[in-house]
Amino acid sequence: MMRGWCCLLESRRCRWRAASSYVCAMAYAHRSIPAQVALVPIVKGAEKDPEGTQTVMSLVDKVVDECEALGLRVKVDDRENMRPGAKYFEWERKGAPLRLEVGPRDAASNVMVVASRLGGEKQTIAVDEVPSYLKQRLDEMQAKLFADASQRLSDRTIDIDTYEDMKTRIANEDLGFFRVYWKADDANEKAIKEDCAATIRCYPLDAQGDLEGKTCFYSGEPATHVALFARAF
């Protein structure tokens, strides 16, 4: 995951900032929520429909156990004071990537319905196949999120030769991560921040071998690092 978008430790600081956390935050967003799968039983309750409720909840317990054995985080939303539609909305708002629905008719057919937060048609899946199906879908979603975030990061990482170029881009709201040759200097870094609000985000490890004969984009002195600058908000 890090492969270059991580920090170099210096004697006085660790530059662990937005360049790496941008990808992490985008690509691993669904790992930061309490549940990857929200499971919503659609039942009338033990008093109104004891047989149907028991059948549904037995399937729920089975699927939860098998999902947890695969390392999936599943939350069963069996609150009786809320309609299913309100639960669906709440879990979409919370960011759960997938939702499982199962009612008495589904249970009688030994199936569950899977809905994705990304949209698309709902899928009806046999109960025995649900855990492996969920894992596959989550892996696919994770891969897509990571690829999309990596592409956005690549698209908005801009090679800069001169300080004036970076300053002009920032003034024109042409923003991104500005990759520059840089001589580490606290006074110069402070001056840049005060002048155009840009600060160093990190020193990408995979670029530090390309320094021979390079000069700092700001001072013109021999470069000590390749750095990523971005405007501070």
Side-chain angles (χ1 to χ4, degrees):
M1 167 64 192
M2 294 310 175
R3 285 187 310 196
W5 296 113
C6 59
C7 63
L8 288 178
L9 289 174
E10 295 181 290
S11 58
R12 288 177 293 177
R13 62 184 133 188
C14 173
R15 295 202 179 280
W16 174 251
R17 297 179 183 172
S20 55
S21 61
Y22 179 86
V23 173
C24 292
M26 295 299 297
Y28 288 86
H30 76 249
R31 293 187 179 180
S32 65
I33 63 172
Q36 294 169 297
V37 181
L39 201 167
V40 181
I42 305 171
V43 294
K44 295 180 180 179
E47 293 185 2
K48 295 182 179 180
D49 182 16
E51 184 176 347
T53 299
Q54 177 61 39
T55 301
V56 168
M57 296 312 296
S58 294
L59 284 185
V60 167
D61 291 341
K62 166 184 165 61
V63 168
V64 169
D65 288 344
E66 293 177 358
C67 286
E68 290 180 346
L70 293 177
L72 305 182
R73 301 191 304 277
V74 181
K75 172 65 178 178
V76 178
D77 191 342
D78 56 0
R79 290 173 291 177
E80 297 181 358
N81 61 340
M82 184 178 290
R83 297 178 65 86
K87 294 179 182 180
Y88 302 163
F89 176 76
E90 179 174 319
W91 284 106
E92 286 187 10
R93 181 172 57 82
K94 287 181 176 179
L98 295 175
R99 184 180 72 246
L100 274 177
E101 306 164 12
V102 56
R105 291 183 181 179
D106 302 314
S109 300
N110 206 40
V111 298
M112 288 187 172
V113 177
V114 183
S116 170
R117 187 171 185 267
L118 300 181
E121 294 184 2
K122 294 182 180 181
Q123 301 295 317
T124 300
I125 307 297
V127 168
D128 290 342
E129 298 174 6
V130 165
S132 59
Y133 177 82
L134 295 177
K135 188 176 188 309
Q136 179 182 346
R137 286 292 302 275
L138 287 167
D139 288 343
E140 291 171 351
M141 294 171 76
Q142 169 66 27
K144 184 177 187 305
L145 285 169
F146 180 78
D148 290 349
S150 296
Q151 187 62 52
R152 283 193 293 272
L153 178 61
S154 177
D155 290 345
R156 295 310 302 163
T157 298
I158 305 162
D159 290 323
I160 295 292
D161 294 325
T162 68
Y163 174 64
E164 286 303 318
D165 184 13
M166 183 178 80
K167 184 177 176 180
T168 299
R169 286 176 180 270
I170 291 174
N172 293 333
E173 297 292 323
D174 183 10
L175 303 177
F177 294 108
F178 303 110
R179 183 166 45 210
V180 304
Y181 293 107
W182 169 250
K183 180 187 177 183
D185 186 297
D186 287 346
N188 286 344
E189 184 177 350
K190 181 179 180 181
I192 291 172
K193 180 179 180 180
E194 292 175 350
D195 188 36
C196 67
T199 57
I200 294 175
R201 300 291 133 169
C202 77
Y203 295 152
L205 284 177
D206 60 357
Q208 300 309 312
D210 181 31
L211 293 170
E212 186 175 355
K214 301 300 192 299
T215 57
C216 176
F217 88 124
Y218 185 78
S219 69
E221 299 179 72
T224 59
H225 298 85
V226 174
L228 292 180
F229 275 80
R231 188 176 73 178
F233 291 91

